[in-house]
Amino acid sequence: MTGKRGKRYAVAASGQWTDEEDGRRRLPAGEVHAWEPGRNETVCGLSLSRSRLTRFPHVGWPETFPESGGAADRVRRVCHRCASVAGRRGSDARPRWHRVRPRP
């Protein structure tokens, strides 16, 4: 999915599982974060190696939300900081923040 600047975000997660029905595809589990391929940190600033997060370049960020029907079967928590940057779409999504009256 593209974020607010047209970037494509993939997923980094604290765990993984293999979906036998979908041709043994690796999928994220546990806590998920938005990750921009080519970088060594998540969108919220966590180091992938120090946080021991597994990269999923083949899984797009929008697939981690339960309403997507994608790879969200075993996702327990979506990082709220990553969701605010990369976008959160769904029934419980809050509108994006915007300034109503900017100071002069």
Side-chain angles (χ1 to χ4, degrees):
M1 164 145 183
T2 56
K4 72 183 200 182
R5 292 186 205 132
K7 295 181 180 180
R8 172 157 173 14
Y9 295 106
V11 176
S14 61
Q16 69 178 1
W17 67 286
T18 304
D19 186 4
E20 299 294 335
E21 295 176 4
D22 198 18
R24 298 188 50 84
R25 183 177 176 209
R26 277 185 336 116
L27 295 173
E31 182 174 345
V32 295
H33 295 267
W35 165 64
E36 194 176 347
R39 299 194 51 129
N40 290 323
E41 64 182 14
T42 63
V43 173
C44 66
L46 291 177
S47 168
L48 293 174
S49 60
R50 286 186 179 175
S51 300
R52 295 188 174 157
L53 296 173
T54 305
R55 298 173 178 105
F56 296 89
H58 60 283
V59 178
W61 176 247
E63 293 181 48
T64 61
F65 301 115
E67 60 273 4
S68 72
D73 290 347
R74 298 203 183 158
V75 170
R76 299 287 175 241
R77 182 178 178 276
V78 175
C79 174
H80 67 279
R81 291 181 293 176
C82 289
S84 70
V85 174
R88 169 81 167 116
R89 297 289 171 249
S91 58
D92 63 337
R94 291 189 294 181
R96 290 184 188 247
W97 181 87
H98 68 281
R99 186 178 301 275
V100 177
R101 292 186 188 163
R103 295 179 187 162

